[in-house]
């Protein structure tokens, strides 16, 4: 990732921000004039993140100056000018600035800065991953799974964000006792549409939820289902792309419906009711499918699983059957679930999670993740196993963190008796 400072006319500036984000870079400073940019570079702390690797300006009198050239030389920052006509190219040559044509695309800008930006630096940190939590209609436990899994990933030392992209019944905010008058995910979508969504903006609009394993960054969902047009597919995809630079893992809770509205609409440009769900599945690196552990839940899972996998072709699909119990399926319920899914869907579930009403109710009552209120419950242990499987191999979980998670807080024990 390249950290960029920009000074350009507003329309060109917005285009630069969009193209930089699309190529995985971040615009950290936007200045109206060259003098303004010099002042902002001088005021920026040397250890501020992201580090400024490139100053990109339009080669005219307003946005490029000798003072800016001197400021960049003093800080060892690469300065590149956008010059699309003869006058701009002449000014860039006069100032001794390397010039590229915007018409050549952002790859030309990357090529101009890469020798100095990458020289002698450590390899860039790999971008974060997106984990989508989806399940068929009903109440298989998608939100409970999303919250619990995000908390477990934070316990394993990952910077984790929890996003509520459910456009029909967003419930992460009430489940965690958060205010949702100003939904964070909708705000992020609006910023993405304006081309001004940055990591700093995500930090500003998210809500912080402390857990025993670390702090979760939560983007709450829309409070009313009627607000679904705010979450268009392109906006949702852009938010998730920016989240990859924000955190290590983004856990996204989505709605059940996989309907593609264009198949029944004559207006191809109208908003799509379920565009958010489809965009999340298309962007996901991991797809966790949560189905109910009863006859109806398994039937719904078998019918909808092929379509979900088709919508997320690049994601690794992990099937979880939740609320598995003998009272609903019969003797040896886990074995029955495995055999049914292998026979009818040609899939082996990643795990069968037990029906643990005490643990789930305690988490909902306290507005906290399972790991905080029911550290020794069977359900929490199964969620922990999934989190370990999802954690990148190059960052193994420490034994100390896993042992700490096994010790429930004394204050929560009465709720589980």
């Amino acid at each position: 990732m390249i950290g960029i400072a920009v000074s350009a006319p507003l329309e060109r500036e917005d285009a630069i921000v969009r193209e930089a984000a699309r190529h995985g870079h971040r615009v950290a400073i936007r200045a109206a004039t060259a003098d303004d940019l010099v002042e902002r570079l001088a005021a920026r702390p040397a250890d501020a993140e992201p580090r400024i690797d490139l100053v990109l300006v339009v080669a005219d009198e307003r946005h490029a100056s000798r003072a800016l050239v001197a400021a960049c030389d003093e800080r060892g920052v690469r300065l590149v000018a956008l010059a699309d006509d003869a006058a701009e190219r002449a000014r860039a040559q006069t100032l001794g600035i390397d010039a590229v044509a915007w018409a050549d695309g952002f790859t030309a800008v990357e090529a101009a800065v890469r020798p100095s930006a990458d020289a002698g630096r450590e390899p860039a940190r790999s971008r974060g991953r997106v984990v989508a939590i989806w399940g068929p209609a009903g109440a298989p436990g998608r939100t409970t799974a999303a919250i619990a899994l995000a908390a477990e990933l934070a316990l394993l030392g990952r910077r984790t964000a929890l996003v509520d992209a459910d456009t029909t019944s967003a419930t992460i905010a009430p489940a965690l006792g958060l205010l949702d008058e100003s939904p964070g995910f909708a705000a992020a979508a609006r910023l993405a549409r304006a081309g001004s969504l940055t990591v700093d903006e995500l930090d500003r609009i998210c809500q912080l939820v402390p857990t025993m394993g670390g702090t979760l960054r939560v983007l709450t969902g829309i409070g009313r289902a009627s607000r679904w047009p705010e979450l268009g597919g392109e906006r949702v995809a852009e938010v998730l792309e920016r989240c990859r630079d924000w955190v290590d893992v983004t856990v996204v809770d989505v709605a059940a419906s996989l309907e593609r509205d264009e198949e029944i609409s004559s207006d191809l440009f109208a908003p799509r009711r379920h565009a958010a769900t489809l965009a999340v599945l298309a962007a996901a690196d991991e797809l966790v499918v949560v189905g109910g552990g009863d006859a109806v839940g398994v039937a719904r899972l078998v019918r909808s699983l092929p379509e979900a996998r088709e919508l997320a072709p690049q994601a690794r699909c992990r099937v979880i059957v939740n609320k598995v119990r003998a009272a609903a399926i019969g003797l040896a319920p886990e074995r029955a679930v495995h055999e049914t899914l292998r026979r009818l869907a040609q899939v082996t579930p990643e795990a069968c999670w037990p029906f643990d009403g005490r643990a789930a109710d305690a988490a909902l009552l306290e507005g906290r993740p399972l790991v905080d209120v029911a550290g020794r419950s069977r359900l929490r242990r199964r969620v922990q196993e999934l989190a370990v499987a999802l954690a990148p191999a190059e960052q193994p979980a420490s034994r100390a963190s896993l042992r700490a998670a096994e010790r429930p807080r004394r204050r929560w024990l009465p709720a589980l008796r």
Side-chain angles (χ1 to χ4, degrees), residues 20 69 72 111 166 178 189 278:
V69 174
C72 292
D166 191 330
L178 302 175
L278 302 181

Side-chain angles (χ1 to χ4, degrees), residues 64-409:
S65 67
R66 293 193 182 278
L68 179 59
V69 174
C72 292
D73 289 344
E74 180 181 348
R75 290 164 179 76
V77 177
R78 182 76 164 170
L79 176 60
V80 175
L82 296 175
D84 288 321
D85 58 37
E88 291 176 347
R89 287 192 293 272
R91 181 167 180 80
Q93 185 175 6
T94 300
L95 295 174
I97 308 174
D98 289 338
V100 297
W102 180 248
D104 293 338
F106 202 84
T107 53
V109 177
E110 289 178 310
V113 70
R114 196 173 303 280
S116 59
D118 295 345
R121 297 183 61 183
E122 295 181 358
R125 179 178 68 86
S126 59
R127 304 186 74 203
R129 297 185 301 152
V130 174
V131 179
I133 310 297
W134 175 85
R142 293 183 300 269
T143 300
T144 299
I147 295 172
L149 180 60
E152 294 291 346
L153 290 167
L155 182 66
L156 296 178
R158 299 343 182 243
R159 283 172 54 90
T160 307
L162 177 61
V163 174
D164 194 340
D166 191 330
T167 54
T168 59
S169 57
T171 51
I172 283 179
L176 290 175
L178 302 175
L179 297 176
D180 59 355
E181 285 86 355
S182 301
F185 192 55
R190 289 194 297 271
L191 290 169
R193 182 184 183 186
S196 56
L197 182 62
T198 65
V199 171
D200 291 338
E201 289 292 337
L202 287 170
D203 280 329
R204 180 180 64 82
I205 62 180
C206 77
Q207 297 195 47
L208 301 180
V209 176
T211 72
M212 69 178 299
T215 300
L216 285 181
R217 295 159 177 82
V218 181
L219 293 178
T220 54
I222 54 178
R224 300 188 304 275
S226 60
R227 296 183 61 178
W228 64 265
E230 298 179 35
L231 304 181
E234 292 184 359
R235 302 184 202 178
V236 170
E238 178 62 27
V239 172
L240 295 181
E241 276 300 301
R242 184 56 54 231
C243 285
R244 294 181 186 275
D245 298 324
W246 183 37
V247 293
D248 299 320
V249 185
T250 303
V251 179
V252 190
D253 183 20
V254 296
S257 179
L258 300 178
E259 293 176 355
R260 283 168 277 195
D261 307 307
E262 63 272 14
E263 296 177 356
I264 58 175
S265 173
S266 59
D267 186 354
L268 298 179
F269 300 100
R272 303 302 174 198
R273 180 69 175 84
H274 307 292
T277 297
L278 302 181
V280 171
L281 295 186
D285 302 297
E286 299 274 357
L287 173 60
V288 178
V289 178
V290 182
D294 52 49
V296 175
V298 171
R300 287 171 170 168
L301 178 61
V302 169
R303 292 170 182 168
S304 58
L305 184 57
E307 186 176 5
R309 297 172 78 172
E310 177 185 348
L311 293 170
Q314 80 292 346
R316 175 170 179 177
C317 182
R318 301 173 187 268
V319 177
I320 304 296
V321 182
N322 192 23
K323 304 180 183 179
V324 175
R325 58 205 185 276
I329 296 183
L331 298 177
E334 292 193 13
R335 179 179 175 182
V337 167
H338 277 259
E339 291 180 351
T340 300
L341 290 179
R342 280 199 297 266
R343 184 176 71 255
L344 299 180
Q346 292 77 51
V347 65
T348 300
E350 181 92 0
C352 290
W353 290 356
F355 181 75
D356 196 338
R358 284 188 177 183
D361 289 346
L364 191 60
L365 176 64
E366 300 293 344
R368 300 180 69 84
L370 281 171
V371 66
D372 282 14
V373 302
R376 293 181 179 175
S377 67
R378 293 184 302 150
L379 178 57
R380 183 262 156 172
R381 290 176 185 271
R382 294 297 178 88
V383 178
Q384 182 188 39
E385 292 171 358
L386 175 61
V388 171
L390 289 171
E394 63 269 17
Q395 294 180 328
S398 67
R399 297 194 177 195
S401 67
L402 294 179
R403 285 198 301 270
E406 297 295 332
R407 297 194 294 271
R409 295 183 176 181

Side-chain angles (χ1 to χ4, degrees), residues 9-34:
L10 185 58
E11 291 185 1
R12 176 61 56 84
E13 181 179 291
D14 289 341
I16 291 171
V17 171
R18 288 194 299 270
E19 284 299 301
R22 195 169 67 85
H23 285 76
H25 308 307
R26 177 181 167 192
V27 174
I29 297 176
R30 300 174 67 169
T33 66

